[in-house]
Amino acid sequence: MLTALGHIQLLRFVGPAVVVFGVAPYYLITWLAWRLASLPLSRRVFERGDEIMYDSYQSLICFFFETLTGAEVILYGDQIPWNKQENVIVICNHQSSVDWIITDFLAVRQGSLGRLRYILKNGLKYFPLYGFYFAQASFEVLSSDYLDAVYDFTITYSMANENHFPRRPAPTMSDFLISKGQQVHVYCRRHEARDLPKDSEGRKSWIHQTFAEKDRILNKFYQEDGKMPGVPRRRRLPWTRTFPYFVFWMATLLPFVMTKWGRSAYWKMWLVTSFGSVSYMMFLFGKVQR
């Protein structure tokens, strides 16, 4: 039998998962409606609406993973221009399913959360709802003519007031949600686009050196002294940045949960959007892309 603590921990994981996945069907339907409605308008008008919608959804994720858990983001290295949105490519080490959420933590601080996009593994395009949306919202990598910089993040995890040794596996999403006092350490490098190698071989060498440096930083943190290079800078995210979006999405979800007609409509939405999105990605997406 689950103990009281076990029930609380289960709720701290299941609750956010239910809300985040629960709003997905009508988010997708609203997004499709906006895409159709904006067809007569300029591409930039559609993109702006898409950014607003995406920001609201990603802010919900930040609420659960940072605001609610009390996670602390500690930055090192180069100063990222937090008061300025830039066109950038982000590269980082990959340890667990939480890593992409850490890029959300950083983007929300810069005011660019709605503009953040991911390069995903091909198999994820068949994930119901999300695979379809990310495929539609994907982008071509910017040429250096339109690129301000490359952000290079090295991410490590630790618990406050806890020994770093021996190294523990990086937290999964469920681990992160049930944790308290989680610390996220991010070593930042900002590379001007004009300083990057222009030729293919030069870029390969640069990427290799970049990830070799990441390995050195990770080994030092996890195996030596538990410290990142440079002076730590704590940058708190105000709860007012994410909590209103939690209230908004809960307000939209409750009618579907609390009423009979809402529950009936909701499951129909789930079936139609899930089946439709997977079918499109399996049978039509490749043909449309040709």
Side-chain angles (χ1 to χ4, degrees):
M1 294 180 62
L2 287 174
T3 63
L5 178 60
H7 279 98
I8 293 173
Q9 289 184 331
L10 182 63
L11 182 62
R12 285 167 59 182
F13 167 66
V14 173
V18 168
V19 177
V20 169
F21 287 112
V23 303
Y26 55 88
Y27 175 94
L28 182 59
I29 289 175
T30 305
W31 181 84
L32 287 170
W34 168 242
R35 183 158 192 174
L36 291 173
S38 63
L39 284 176
L41 307 176
S42 70
R43 176 71 181 180
R44 182 54 195 148
V45 172
F46 162 72
E47 290 174 348
R48 182 56 184 152
D50 177 46
E51 290 169 8
I52 292 172
M53 289 184 60
Y54 191 61
D55 179 275
S56 70
Y57 185 79
Q58 292 291 73
S59 295
L60 177 68
I61 293 175
C62 289
F63 169 78
F64 284 122
F65 280 87
E66 182 172 357
T67 306
L68 201 61
T69 65
E72 184 178 21
V73 178
I74 307 173
L75 305 173
Y76 309 79
D78 294 346
Q79 289 278 1
I80 300 298
W82 301 113
N83 59 348
K84 174 187 175 184
Q85 294 185 5
E86 296 189 297
N87 294 319
V88 304
I89 292 177
V90 176
I91 58 175
C92 68
N93 57 311
H94 185 35
Q95 303 173 81
S96 79
S97 56
V98 179
D99 296 334
W100 67 273
I101 298 174
I102 306 308
T103 63
D104 280 5
F105 290 178
L106 301 175
V108 73
R109 286 163 166 77
Q110 194 184 52
S112 57
L113 187 58
R115 301 173 63 225
L116 180 65
R117 296 294 183 268
Y118 312 103
I119 299 175
L120 303 175
K121 293 181 179 179
N122 186 61
L124 291 175
K125 68 184 180 183
Y126 301 116
F127 194 79
L129 307 177
Y130 294 90
F132 172 83
Y133 174 76
F134 282 121
Q136 304 308 308
S138 64
F139 61 94
E140 295 182 2
V141 176
L142 296 171
S143 72
S144 57
D145 293 334
Y146 300 97
L147 188 65
D148 294 314
V150 171
Y151 290 176
D152 171 17
F153 298 141
T154 303
I155 302 169
T156 62
Y157 302 91
S158 68
M159 293 296 294
N161 304 317
E162 183 175 274
N163 197 320
H164 300 288
F165 313 107
R167 178 178 180 177
R168 296 184 178 184
T172 63
M173 286 193 284
S174 58
D175 294 333
F176 205 97
L177 285 170
I178 66 176
S179 69
K180 281 292 183 182
Q182 182 74 57
Q183 291 183 328
V184 180
H185 305 264
V186 185
Y187 181 69
C188 308
R189 295 293 305 276
R190 182 185 180 278
H191 304 277
E192 288 280 355
R194 61 175 177 267
D195 297 332
L196 299 176
K198 306 302 181 185
D199 61 290
S200 177
E201 288 302 316
R203 289 180 178 176
K204 287 180 181 179
S205 177
W206 180 82
I207 291 173
H208 177 79
Q209 293 172 11
T210 297
F211 277 85
E213 177 63 19
K214 288 181 183 297
D215 286 340
R216 287 191 288 270
I217 293 172
L218 293 170
N219 288 335
K220 183 176 184 296
F221 183 88
Y222 285 119
Q223 298 179 16
E224 295 182 19
D225 56 10
K227 296 180 180 179
M228 299 285 268
V231 178
R233 305 185 302 274
R234 287 166 169 80
R235 191 176 182 88
R236 287 282 184 184
L237 182 68
W239 67 270
T240 52
R241 174 58 182 83
T242 60
F243 181 69
Y245 292 97
F246 166 72
V247 174
F248 167 76
W249 285 111
M250 285 299 296
T252 63
L253 183 61
L254 284 177
F256 291 108
V257 176
M258 303 301 293
T259 64
K260 183 177 180 180
W261 68 265
R263 290 190 293 270
S264 176
Y266 180 81
W267 291 116
K268 291 174 183 175
M269 278 195 300
W270 248 115
L271 289 173
V272 170
T273 54
S274 297
F275 180 77
S277 61
V278 173
S279 298
Y280 177 87
M281 297 306 295
M282 290 180 65
F283 303 113
L284 296 176
F285 180 69
K287 296 178 181 179
V288 173
Q289 293 297 103
R290 291 172 187 165

